[in-house]
Amino acid sequence: MIKVACVGGYSEVGKNMTAIKIDDEVIILDMGFYLPKLLDFEERNSRKNITRENLIELGVIPNDEFIRSWRDKVKAIIVGHAHLDHSAALPYMEKNYNAKIIGTTFTNAIIKILARDEGIELKNEIINLNPGKKMEVSKDISIEFVNATHSTPESTITAVHTKYGSIMYCNDFKLDETPVIGKKTDYNRLKEIGKDNVKLAIIDCLYSNNNTKTPSEMLARQMLKEVIFENATQGVLVGTTFASNIARLKSFLEFGMKMNREVLFLGRSMEKYTRAAEDVGIVNFSQNSEIIKYRKDVKKKLKEVEKNKDKYLIVTTGNQGEPGSILVSMANGEMPLKLDNNDSVIFSCKTIPVPNNFKNRLTLEKALDRKSVNVFLDIHQSGHGARKDIEELISILKPEHIIPGHGDPSKFTKMSILAKDINFDMKKIHIMENRQKLEID
Ligand SMILES: [Zn+2]
């Protein structure tokens, strides 16, 4: 008997966590943050000494109390990729479990940095499992990471192999034929698994309402190249993107070097992710750029930049207009670097559709506009598959049951329409919300 507990990420885009009980053993998939709630909190308070209970109450991490009776049965905590909405709650939650933590080398490097930065010592052992590899977690259950393209390195589709068939956890993925870093999605392996019995697939449906296929990261790279080489002005170039998108950071770095500009990565999260990428040998950022973590050092460096603006390309945090971020501080004139009509700001991102982001981004764009800065928007492609990617994945895996994931009921409805259109048995698509359980026989 398989029971699925939807702990988080089924009533919002974030704090992903799913627990799967196979007979008397439990596997946990992801433990992530709901970032909007964290940012709300951090605008007014420090995260220092904050507890798991505080974070649950604030809605920042999943509330796993309703699976308390499953605690002793948990055999493994799997983190499918390194994004914070899948990994960042782990340091606060893992102590309540006696189970190994399994992730890829890059994901584990991020988990360790997250724990260390918050002064948390992890109780459970962390085990590296690389894409393409399988690991037995008990006599009856094995875990396999299948390489998948997304927007952070070493992303995986997780297969939980059981005697009832495989359970495929496909949060998050897109089907990218030309990823800038890493290999294509391992279609062969997915096809092999699909030929056997896939009992259930939990599928990232964030963009299921988008009728296309999500374009490749290579297109994002081309767009960025065009802006940097053809449209950017003579002043300072400031780019902003998701720090976890190592492929994008690499593109910024390479274009900056080609222009003979000194490349700077600014901010705590840029430091976290570039260091992790470097530690596991994906991109050696520090060889060709300067990575500056702390605000006082950022300010010091920006004083130098102010004197020779056209010698620098800066990549910084604040792409969602987060109050207090470096980019917002720059736009508000609170930094030694003063932006004007010779300077360019490139948003290599999209606004994540969660509360506050649209408002924050608009405020930031208005501030830049008042300074007549050249602003380039949406120089980006998403890491989440759209409808065509989802259809293709379903046709490869042929799951018996589907649970739409990584969204809220509005996204899940679109997924039901998609399933109906491809003649999927509608009784076997299960729309779930947080803190609901589903039994599959
Ligand atoms: Zn992700």
Side-chain angles (χ1 to χ4, degrees), residues 244-256:
S244 56
N245 194 329
I246 300 299
R248 199 70 54 80
L249 301 188
K250 180 172 181 262
S251 296
F252 268 113
L253 174 65
E254 288 171 359
F255 299 148

Side-chain angles (χ1 to χ4, degrees), residues 359-392:
K359 181 180 73 126
N360 289 342
R361 265 292 295 271
L362 199 66
T363 310
L364 170 58
E365 285 168 33
K366 277 186 183 160
L368 292 169
D369 199 43
R370 279 197 292 274
K371 296 186 175 347
S372 305
V373 175
N374 304 290
V375 173
F376 299 91
L377 299 174
D378 296 338
I379 309 303
H380 181 65
Q381 298 300 336
S382 171
H384 294 271
R387 183 178 162 130
K388 298 285 175 213
D389 304 78
I390 296 167
E391 278 181 17
E392 192 178 342

Side-chain angles (χ1 to χ4, degrees), residues 81 83 85-86 150-151 172 384 406:
H81 68 286
H83 279 149
D85 55 341
H86 296 259
H150 182 40
S151 47
D172 307 339
H384 294 271
H406 212 286

Side-chain angles (χ1 to χ4, degrees), residues 4-7 9-12 200-205 208 401-420 424-440:
V4 183
C6 296
V7 189
Y10 295 87
S11 298
E12 66 278 293
L200 164 70
I202 297 167
I203 300 180
D204 168 7
C205 70
S208 54
H401 296 267
I402 291 176
I403 296 179
H406 212 286
D408 55 41
S410 69
K411 308 262 176 343
F412 300 157
T413 314
K414 294 285 181 189
M415 188 77 161
S416 295
I417 296 168
L418 181 161
K420 196 173 175 200
F424 191 85
D425 182 352
M426 293 304 285
K427 288 194 289 298
K428 294 188 171 175
I429 176 154
H430 309 278
I431 306 295
M432 305 292 286
E433 286 182 44
N434 288 354
R435 295 204 254 171
Q436 287 184 340
K437 283 183 188 159
L438 174 74
E439 235 173 71
I440 293 172

